[in-house]
Amino acid sequence: GLLLAFGLGARTLLGLAVDPGALAVLSVILGIAVLLLGAIYLSRRIVGPIRSLERAAKRLAAGDRSARAHPAGDDELARLAHAFNDLVERARSKDLELEARLGELTGKQREIDQSWEVLLRSAKLASVGRLTAGVAHELGNPMSSVLGYLELLGDPELSDDERATYLQKARSELQRMDRTIRNLLDTARPGDDAVVSTDLGRVIRQAAELARHQKRLRNVEIRLQLDPSLPPAAASGRLSQVFVNLLLNAGDAIDKRGDVTIRAAPHGHQIHVTVSDTGRGIPPEARKDLFDPFFTTKPPGEGTGLGLAISQSILEASGGEILLTEPQPDQGTSFTLLIPVWRE
């Protein structure tokens, strides 16, 4: 329209006899040319940079930290592209820093895992050492009995009934020694971290049998109240160490005479086990730190403070838990173990 008006104005001013139809065609051609030039300009200066920025943003969203926009000129879109590239570069630098930090943390975690494994072995060896000392002393009594029976069997004047009686007694004492040694070997054997179907009743009975040989548990009665319908438990081979630790701690807490009671019963998808003693109890100020490694209420040289921490670690590795039951005044200490039921 502007071109047509311009042409008509020129015709009027110059007095030129221009055909109106030709003038209209010329105006249309010039209009199309202007539109094409405008489209090309917009494509190069606006649409092109926007699409370049869009492609770079999609690559960045896909995780490509090398994505860059390609700014042209010095207008707002170029400044936006530069800002986008700066953002990507900072993100790339942060990624490199995070990767380096992650590598350091992975190395530290590996060191921590190795150190914890060493502590597990050390604590278990300490427990086994205490058990061995008690067992060695305990084996002396049946061994003396067997030697005495063998000496009596050398008497040629023994009757057949007396000889059979002494042989049976000697056999019983030897079986007692064999059972004690086997239980000790089961406890001392390196524990398997794999979670397997476990006869919880057998584990508790073996731990109790070993603990009975300890000097501090000689005057302590260990009572087992195990539900006969206990299902198999999901636990690792180190579960016996948990009960050994708890029984040894109970023996340390009971000054002279007392008792330790272990109760176990199924509760839904868990087996609840309580280990209660009639000892001196745990001071209120020590309860919050009870499961911390190296924390102990025992005198120096009588405990490492690793027993409960390692027991907690063993149970948590198989999805279980150990809790200090809220103690009642003058009623000793009670722990509750939540052990998952084995599922195929």
Side-chain angles (χ1 to χ4, degrees):
L2 291 173
L3 291 173
L4 181 58
F6 175 77
L8 291 174
R11 177 188 177 189
T12 302
L13 291 173
L14 298 176
L16 298 175
V18 180
D19 183 11
L23 184 60
V25 172
L26 180 60
S27 299
V28 170
I29 292 173
L30 291 174
I32 292 174
V34 170
L35 289 175
L36 288 175
L37 290 173
I40 293 171
Y41 176 82
L42 289 175
S43 176
R44 289 185 177 180
R45 298 301 301 272
I46 299 176
V47 178
I50 290 177
R51 287 182 176 174
S52 174
L53 188 59
E54 180 186 11
R55 288 192 295 270
K58 287 182 178 179
R59 290 173 58 192
L60 179 63
D64 184 2
R65 292 294 188 267
S66 65
R68 295 293 185 277
H70 301 289
D74 193 26
D75 55 8
E76 287 79 2
L77 288 176
R79 289 194 290 272
L80 178 61
H82 283 297
F84 174 82
N85 291 340
D86 291 341
L87 176 63
V88 174
E89 188 61 34
R90 286 197 296 271
R92 183 172 177 274
S93 299
K94 290 295 183 183
D95 283 348
L96 293 176
E97 291 178 9
L98 288 175
E99 288 177 3
R101 186 60 178 164
L102 181 60
E104 293 177 5
L105 291 176
T106 301
K108 293 293 184 183
Q109 183 62 46
R110 191 179 298 112
E111 293 177 6
I112 291 173
D113 291 341
Q114 292 172 351
S115 299
W116 185 246
E117 186 65 27
V118 171
L119 287 177
L120 282 172
R121 294 196 190 100
S122 299
K124 186 163 188 175
L125 288 174
S127 298
V128 170
R130 294 177 63 186
L131 288 172
T132 304
V135 169
H137 185 270
E138 184 67 18
L139 289 176
N141 293 331
M143 188 174 295
S144 298
S145 299
V146 171
L147 291 174
Y149 293 138
L150 290 177
E151 186 176 348
L152 290 172
L153 288 171
D155 186 353
E157 297 182 359
L158 282 179
S159 65
D160 291 341
D161 290 341
E162 289 176 327
R163 192 178 302 277
T165 299
Y166 290 147
L167 283 172
Q168 180 58 41
K169 289 183 177 180
R171 185 182 295 109
S172 297
E173 294 297 326
L174 289 172
Q175 289 174 346
R176 173 184 168 189
M177 294 168 61
D178 179 69
R179 183 169 59 253
T180 300
I181 293 172
R182 287 182 181 276
N183 288 341
L184 178 63
L185 290 176
D186 287 342
T187 302
R189 186 176 294 116
D192 187 356
D193 288 330
V195 177
V196 296
S197 176
T198 303
D199 185 346
L200 184 60
R202 181 180 64 83
V203 171
I204 294 174
R205 284 189 287 270
Q206 284 185 342
E209 184 64 27
L210 282 173
R212 287 191 177 98
H213 301 314
Q214 304 310 302
K215 182 178 180 180
R216 294 187 181 184
L217 286 163
R218 294 288 175 80
N219 297 321
V220 175
E221 182 177 357
I222 300 177
R223 305 180 184 186
L224 303 183
Q225 299 178 8
L226 310 180
D227 192 315
S229 63
L230 281 180
S236 70
R238 289 178 170 157
L239 182 61
S240 61
Q241 187 179 355
V242 174
F243 291 103
V244 168
N245 286 336
L246 293 176
L247 288 169
L248 291 177
N249 287 346
D252 291 335
I254 297 174
D255 292 330
K256 295 180 180 179
R257 292 185 178 275
D259 59 76
V260 181
T261 303
I262 302 179
R263 301 179 179 89
H267 287 264
H269 298 303
Q270 291 180 324
I271 302 174
H272 290 192
V273 183
T274 59
V275 182
S276 306
D277 64 59
T278 57
R280 57 181 177 270
I282 299 172
E285 64 275 8
R287 293 168 192 164
K288 61 182 180 63
D289 301 319
L290 199 58
F291 294 98
D292 290 347
F294 302 108
F295 177 81
T296 179
T297 58
K298 299 176 184 177
E302 295 188 13
T304 62
L306 287 172
L308 288 176
I310 290 176
S311 297
Q312 184 182 51
S313 176
I314 292 171
L315 287 170
E316 289 180 349
S318 59
E321 192 175 0
I322 180 171
L323 306 169
L324 174 64
T325 307
E326 189 64 30
Q328 300 296 323
D330 302 324
Q331 290 190 7
T333 305
S334 178
F335 289 94
T336 299
L337 283 65
L338 309 179
I339 303 174
V341 171
W342 171 257
R343 295 183 181 181
E344 294 293 344

